[in-house]
Amino acid sequence: MSIAPFFPSTTRASTGIRPPAARLLLLALVPLLALMTEARAAIVEEIVAKVNNRIISKSEFEERSSYILKQIYQQYSGADLDQHLQDARETMLANMITELLLVERSQTLLDLDKVRKNLVDDFRKQQNIASDEDLERLLKEQGMTRKDLEEQLLRLAVPQEIINYEVRRKISVSDAEISQYYDQHQKDWETSPTVTFNEIVLFYEDANRPEVVSRAEGIVREARGGTEFGELVQKYSEAPSKESGGFLGPLSAADLHPAIAETAFKLQVGDIGDPIDTGHSLHIVRLVGKTDRVVKTHDEVKDTIAKAVREEKFRPRYEHYIRKLWKESQIEVLPKYEQFLAWSPLKSAKTGEDKLPVGAPGAEPEGPVPSPGGPGAGPQAPAPPPPGNPPVPTPSPAP
């Protein structure tokens, strides 16, 4: 995304929000707008916090609470669910305040009239709304105004834009830093050698071990004598792998019992090893395939390293920038809502924590940042939400 710089006593920047990012934000906004309409019909407005010349109302706070909690219930379960609920409770109000501060900062960096128009146009296209007249009619049906829509779009899109311009664009990564990172993470660029094989497994107890060993040696003779190994698997193997013809792999040495790894990696493709004793079972393996150790070159992982280093540098710079915004602003939270400000940029981080707060405005990476060792685990499968609606954190009545 590009934002033209602001030069005092001249005109504001006229660059709009980049379309792909806007589309992603708009997709996130649709369910939130539905919650807004439902909440505003029943909630009496009151002020949760004053942020310079702006406010966070009770309805806005509870709308955001409901939306965020719904997302958490859909994505997590068990201990992870409890931790994310706690994190959200402690950081959400601080994040909403930060969001307002970044929107306020945008007034000196962006041509907000143009940004609003671009965001609304993208919203119309995303929702297949033919004209402004149709949009106005739909908003009216939902009990919303165009101004409501524009404000929500701004709050979703602008914070990331401001952080990109004020923080990310000022971060550089040198070739020396990339080389140093590469050298310090050598094992991360390595793909271990692997083996693929078919196995026959025989289990034994101490009392019948000699008989099982003799039987295993006989199976090896049959296999080396020309009997199809797959037939021997079906005839003799006692392990679950029998259902797949005894096929396993590709597996690294770390994935295998040390005794099996020692034998398997010494075999050549097609070889059948001697019986391998792992303590309570004997394994006969026929090697199907083998791969060598591969180390990615500096050039192959240069872009991955640059992103990783840039993200490492971003964290403290982001926190410093947000802390400075808070210090320079007038922020007042209604006493009964202070319980939701357990964390803020002006309070000390929890001992041992090294992470940005959950949902921190503008803190999302510019793009996917692969882990140094290669593709990480995919997104956790969403857990089914519990019956009923998630609880909204309603503050206790004022005394």
Side-chain angles (χ1 to χ4, degrees):
M1 304 180 188
S2 61
I3 302 178
F6 172 70
F7 298 95
S9 75
T10 61
T11 57
R12 292 178 178 174
S14 59
T15 305
I17 301 296
R18 187 171 61 182
R23 280 195 290 273
L24 292 175
L25 292 165
L26 296 175
L27 285 174
L29 178 64
V30 174
L32 180 57
L33 291 177
L35 284 172
M36 286 173 55
T37 303
E38 180 180 345
R40 285 184 176 171
I43 297 174
V44 176
E45 292 287 345
E46 71 178 37
I47 295 175
V48 172
K50 296 179 180 179
V51 184
N52 293 330
N53 296 321
R54 291 172 174 262
I55 65 167
I56 296 173
S57 68
K58 180 181 178 181
S59 64
E60 290 172 329
F61 180 71
E62 294 188 347
E63 288 154 12
R64 183 71 63 90
S65 297
S66 182
Y67 176 72
I68 290 176
L69 294 178
K70 181 179 180 181
Q71 301 306 305
I72 292 173
Y73 274 111
Q74 289 176 342
Q75 296 179 45
Y76 302 99
S77 61
D80 284 343
L81 172 63
D82 294 339
Q83 184 60 56
H84 279 80
L85 288 173
Q86 180 67 21
D87 288 344
R89 179 184 177 87
E90 293 182 354
T91 63
M92 187 179 66
L93 182 53
N95 288 338
M96 292 182 74
I97 292 171
T98 298
E99 184 180 273
L100 281 184
L101 292 173
L102 290 170
V103 171
E104 185 175 67
R105 176 65 178 145
S106 71
Q107 294 175 348
T108 62
L109 294 171
L110 300 175
D111 181 343
L112 289 185
D113 289 338
K114 182 172 182 178
V115 170
R116 288 188 181 93
K117 182 180 184 305
N118 289 342
L119 287 172
V120 171
D121 287 346
D122 282 341
F123 181 79
R124 278 204 303 105
K125 292 174 184 176
Q126 185 67 40
Q127 299 303 309
N128 295 318
I129 300 172
S131 65
D132 280 341
E133 290 74 17
D134 290 340
L135 174 63
E136 294 291 347
R137 184 172 61 256
L138 290 172
L139 289 174
K140 186 176 181 180
E141 290 173 359
Q142 297 297 318
M144 291 183 63
T145 66
R146 188 184 182 96
K147 185 177 179 180
D148 292 333
L149 176 63
E150 290 175 351
E151 185 68 15
Q152 292 301 319
L153 292 172
L154 280 175
R155 289 189 182 188
L156 282 171
V158 164
Q160 187 72 49
E161 288 291 309
I162 297 305
I163 292 300
N164 285 345
Y165 181 72
E166 297 268 70
V167 182
R168 287 190 182 280
R169 76 178 183 92
K170 299 176 182 178
I171 299 174
S172 61
V173 179
S174 68
D175 289 340
E177 289 175 310
I178 292 175
S179 296
Q180 182 181 26
Y181 191 99
Y182 180 83
D183 293 339
Q184 291 174 345
H185 297 78
Q186 278 291 327
K187 289 186 178 180
D188 294 332
W189 320 124
E190 176 183 315
T191 301
S192 300
T194 66
V195 288
T196 303
F197 55 85
N198 298 104
E199 68 169 359
I200 297 171
V201 182
L202 305 177
F203 295 101
Y204 68 83
E205 301 292 339
D206 290 342
N208 70 339
R209 183 180 182 282
E211 183 272 324
V212 176
V213 169
S214 177
R215 185 149 47 97
E217 291 171 344
I219 294 172
V220 170
R221 287 193 295 270
E222 279 191 70
R224 289 173 177 171
T227 303
E228 176 63 38
F229 197 82
E231 294 179 10
L232 297 176
V233 171
Q234 297 303 317
K235 185 176 181 181
Y236 296 113
S237 187
E238 300 169 355
S241 59
K242 176 180 180 178
E243 300 301 320
S244 60
F247 185 85
L248 294 175
L251 299 168
S252 68
D255 299 323
L256 297 167
H257 187 283
I260 297 176
E262 182 180 1
T263 296
F265 278 94
K266 290 179 180 177
L267 297 176
Q268 299 300 315
V269 174
D271 286 352
I272 297 166
D274 293 330
I276 305 165
D277 194 337
T278 63
H280 289 285
S281 60
L282 294 172
H283 297 249
I284 303 164
V285 302
R286 174 183 178 276
L287 192 68
V288 175
K290 183 189 292 187
T291 64
D292 296 326
R293 170 178 174 269
V294 176
V295 179
K296 292 182 179 180
T297 66
H298 176 283
D299 287 343
E300 287 177 317
V301 296
K302 184 176 181 178
D303 290 343
T304 297
I305 293 174
K307 285 184 178 181
V309 174
R310 191 173 289 112
E311 287 306 309
E312 285 183 358
K313 289 185 173 185
F314 168 74
R315 297 166 66 87
R317 286 166 170 78
Y318 172 88
E319 290 167 359
H320 174 76
Y321 178 81
I322 297 301
R323 192 174 296 113
K324 185 171 182 289
L325 273 184
W326 276 64
K327 286 181 178 179
E328 295 174 349
S329 301
Q330 294 182 339
I331 299 169
E332 179 183 351
V333 177
L334 199 70
K336 71 176 183 179
Y337 287 95
E338 288 178 353
Q339 61 181 303
F340 298 110
L341 201 63
W343 178 94
S344 86
L346 301 183
K347 296 181 180 180
S348 299
K350 293 180 181 178
T351 303
E353 281 198 353
D354 181 29
K355 63 179 181 179
L356 298 175
V358 176
E364 295 82 0
E366 290 180 287
V369 180
S371 60
Q380 182 176 347
N389 295 323
V392 175
T394 305
S396 304

